[in-house]
Structures are given as structure tokens and as C-alpha cells.
Amino acid sequence: MVIEIKNLVKRYDKIIALDYLNLMVKEGQIHGILGPAGSGKTTLTDCILGLKKYDKGSILLWGKKMERDSYELKRDIGVVLEEEAVFEELTLYENISYFCSLYLGDKQKVKEYTKETIEFLGLEDFIRLYPKKLSPGLLRRLNFACGIVHKPKLLILDEPIEDTDPHSKKKIMDSIMELKNRGTTILYFSQEIDEIEQLCTEITMLDKGKVIAQGTKEELKDMISLGEKITVEVYSLSENQLKDISQLPNVSGAEYNNQSLIMRAKKGRNNLMTLLDYLQEQKIPFGRIITEMPTLDDVYLEITGKELKD
Ligand SMILES: Nc1ncnc2c1ncn2[C@@H]1O[C@H](COP(=O)(O)OP(=O)(O)OP(=O)(O)O)[C@@H](O)[C@H]1O
């Protein structure tokens, strides 16, 4: 086990930021922590890194307790935070090289790792530029490069691609997958469902410092009663027909707007067939059909009663 957190409690006076939190992260996993603003993601990162004291519980990294001066452990960890943490007075190359030199003494190795990381993130054309001259996407890639250049075994990523242009977002997401393929364990904090769905093998949902659900995305989707959302292009529908549809077996709701019929079903078999049978029986002409399975957003909403994002 790379990270082993048991019954972690962290209070700020009366606020309970982490509430008996348990988390296990296995080697080689990308473990996503999904939670809205204020759910305790930053506090958890600080506790894992030994930057904040906690009130109760235990945190072990590779079976060892992290302390402020656990330099051996820290050497194996890379951190990329949402806010860029680079030096304005250093060029892109100098920034990456500097962060590498904080961990490695061997100058030749620093040079080698810096070059490799620059190529890895496609930053070759920008090495002489200062951070102020970089576009927001390139700045994100530089920030990411500084966190991974020393080849950590555990990478903690706190919303590393929030508000990033599609090209840099793809570059960073591909790099994360490649690092995983090379054996890096990754803890990935985000509020973005699509990033978590694409990248993570295991997911923990947080709400007010509490773990509300944990598992693979399939396991999480299995926890809720919601089935698919079916959208059918229907050219005309009477109020009575809409009422009939909302009362079909296993249907939790139906609405009709702009020639679009949306039916939400509970988990079960043949929901689409039941709807199509009804439309045919009533001789209601219909066009395109779209079926969408529940998302992690739906899981979060059903368990907590609120959306991940406002
Ligand atoms: N230094 C502090 N003093 C008092 N309360 C704090 C402090 N830091 C965080 N909190 C509170 O603890 C809770 C968890 O905060 P935390 O910053 O860890 O959440 P988060 O999920 O990282 O949110 P965000 O994404 O907004 O940073 C929140 O209610 C927050 O207001």
C-alpha cells in the first residue's frame, strides 16, 4: 500500500475539516478524490505531506509515518497544486532544472531529467521564456513539469488542469496516463467528473470531510437506484400521453420540451423497450433516440442531495 489513512480527524476550532476519513491507495493506481469546494481536499493534501498536524488517526506512506523532516519520503513524492508555484525570475528551463536540483545532487542527472521532462511535455520551443511570457496553458504545463521532474513514485495532483485550454489539457492528461503506465501512483483531486472518469481507476467521494462513497466508477454507479436517461425526438405528444409515460413501470420522471421527450428510469431491464412499445402502440411518430447511463454527478447528487458544482 502506498497511502494508508485511518480514521483521520482534522479540526479548525469548531469546523471539522476531515471527519474520520479512511483512504487506501495501492501502488500503480490513479486514485481520484472527488469533492466540491470546501470538502477538505487541501487539508487532506497538507496532512499527507506532513505540513499540517491532525487531531486523530494515522497516515502511513509506504508503511512509514510522514514527519516535517522525513526527507527520504519527500524525495519520492511530487506535488502539483492548482496555483502555479514557479519563479518569475527564472526561465522555463531554469525553473524545471531548479526544482529537480532540490531533490537530486548529481548535476548530470539534473540536466538529463530536465531535458527528458521538457520533451515529455512538449515544451522544447519555450525553454528560454520567462513565466510571464507563457500562455496560461504553457504555464500549467511548466507547473506540472516542476512537480514531476525528479521522477517521484507518488504524485499528488490538486486540480492540475483546471481552466486549461484543450491542447494543454490533453497534453497533461496524456502525461498522467503515461506516468501511470510507468508505475507512478497518483492521487488526483478534482471537482471535474470527466477528468476523474477518464483517468482514475479508483474513486473516493468526499463531502464535508467525510468519505461518502468509495470504489471503481462501475461500483459507484451501481450504488444508486437511478437507471438510464432516454431522450427521444417526438414531434407531438399530448399531456395525457406524457402522463402515461411517467406512469410506465420503472419510470421516475418524464418531460416534454421542444419536440424532445426525456424519460428518466430507475435501474432495471427493458426501460427503452417499454417506452418504444408505448410510442408504437399509440402510433406516435419518433426520430432520434439517445440513451445516457448515470454519471458520477448523478451518484454524488443521489447520495448527498446536492450537485458537485454550483
Ligand atoms: N486555516 C483554516 N482555518 C479555519 N477553517 C479552515 C482553514 N482551512 C480550511 N478551513 C475549512 O475547512 C474546510 C475544508 O477546507 P479545505 O480547504 O481543505 O477544502 P477544499 O476541498 O480543499 O476546498 P477548496 O477546493 O475550496 O480549496 C472548509 O470548511 C474550510 O472553510
Side-chain angles (χ1 to χ4, degrees):
M1 205 61 72
V2 176
I3 303 178
E4 213 174 329
I5 299 179
K6 285 192 184 147
N7 296 321
L8 188 65
V9 177
K10 167 73 189 169
R11 288 193 191 91
Y12 298 106
D13 294 324
K14 282 185 184 142
I15 295 172
I16 301 180
L18 300 173
D19 196 357
Y20 289 91
L21 180 134
N22 289 292
L23 178 71
M24 300 283 172
V25 181
K26 289 190 211 109
E27 196 173 326
Q29 260 188 355
I30 304 187
H31 193 117
I33 308 275
L34 192 61
S39 57
K41 302 189 295 293
T42 308
T43 305
L44 177 58
T45 308
D46 287 349
C47 290
I48 293 174
L49 295 172
L51 301 174
K52 268 194 180 126
K53 288 207 165 123
Y54 39 91
D55 299 285
K56 268 189 192 163
S58 61
I59 302 180
L60 296 179
L61 299 176
W62 296 285
K64 294 184 191 132
K65 192 166 184 283
M66 168 69 96
E67 308 278 3
R68 260 182 190 275
D69 58 355
S70 304
Y71 299 116
E72 280 291 301
L73 278 181
K74 288 190 179 177
R75 153 74 188 80
D76 287 331
I77 304 173
V79 184
V80 179
L81 300 177
E82 186 188 350
E83 300 285 322
E84 282 93 11
V86 294
F87 293 99
E88 294 294 339
E89 61 279 22
L90 300 181
T91 63
L92 180 143
Y93 182 95
E94 289 164 348
N95 259 297
I96 299 174
S97 164
Y98 173 75
F99 279 98
C100 191
S101 68
L102 293 178
Y103 297 95
L104 299 178
D106 182 338
K107 280 192 177 146
Q108 196 49 43
K109 266 228 153 79
V110 170
K111 229 174 168 173
E112 196 185 302
Y113 281 23
T114 303
K115 186 168 174 282
E116 238 178 78
T117 305
I118 285 169
E119 285 168 8
F120 187 57
L121 284 156
L123 292 168
E124 299 92 323
D125 294 340
F126 313 100
I127 53 173
R128 288 192 184 81
L129 295 185
Y130 288 90
K132 271 210 167 74
K133 294 275 178 204
L134 298 173
S135 68
L138 285 171
L139 196 57
R140 278 273 182 223
R141 274 195 261 167
L142 167 61
N143 193 45
F144 189 77
C146 293
I148 65 165
V149 63
H150 61 291
K151 300 192 180 174
K153 289 193 219 148
L154 169 65
L155 196 52
I156 299 180
L157 305 175
D158 189 1
E159 313 219 18
I161 47 179
E162 181 152 54
D163 300 326
T164 308
D165 64 90
H167 178 62
S168 288
K169 182 172 170 173
K170 180 166 185 330
K171 202 88 203 160
I172 295 176
M173 284 181 87
D174 289 349
S175 308
I176 293 171
M177 283 315 287
E178 180 55 31
L179 289 169
K180 176 194 180 277
N181 293 339
R182 294 179 189 178
T184 312
T185 306
I186 298 169
L187 191 59
Y188 192 94
F189 291 90
S190 181
Q191 297 184 49
E192 297 294 334
I193 297 280
D194 65 332
E195 289 168 24
I196 295 263
E197 287 231 41
Q198 274 183 59
L199 293 171
C200 302
T201 37
E202 193 82 15
I203 299 160
T204 293
M205 289 187 168
L206 269 192
D207 182 35
K208 293 191 199 123
K210 260 200 177 98
V211 172
I212 54 160
Q214 225 159 28
T216 63
K217 48 191 170 224
E218 291 76 21
E219 285 167 349
L220 290 175
K221 286 177 187 177
D222 261 356
M223 284 176 194
I224 60 169
S225 61
L226 197 68
E228 63 267 53
K229 173 183 165 193
I230 302 169
T231 308
V232 188
E233 204 176 358
V234 173
Y235 308 107
S236 99
L237 195 76
S238 70
E239 289 224 348
N240 276 342
Q241 287 167 330
L242 182 62
K243 200 169 158 212
D244 284 348
I245 292 169
S246 66
Q247 287 171 354
L248 287 173
N250 223 22
V251 171
S252 58
E255 53 189 278
Y256 181 63
N257 291 309
N258 302 325
Q259 302 196 329
S260 189
L261 166 66
I262 299 174
M263 186 187 98
R264 285 200 168 267
K266 292 182 214 136
K267 220 173 248 139
R269 284 167 181 237
N270 304 327
N271 290 328
L272 178 60
M273 282 309 290
T274 310
L275 175 63
L276 296 185
D277 282 350
Y278 176 81
L279 295 177
Q280 269 156 0
E281 192 188 288
Q282 293 280 317
K283 300 200 170 34
I284 300 169
F286 59 88
R288 216 155 62 103
I289 301 168
I290 303 165
T291 303
E292 295 163 86
M293 296 314 284
T295 62
L296 291 177
D297 253 324
D298 296 321
V299 178
Y300 201 87
L301 182 64
E302 186 165 321
I303 298 177
T304 64
K306 59 188 183 206
E307 307 266 359
L308 256 170
K309 283 190 147 189
D310 297 329

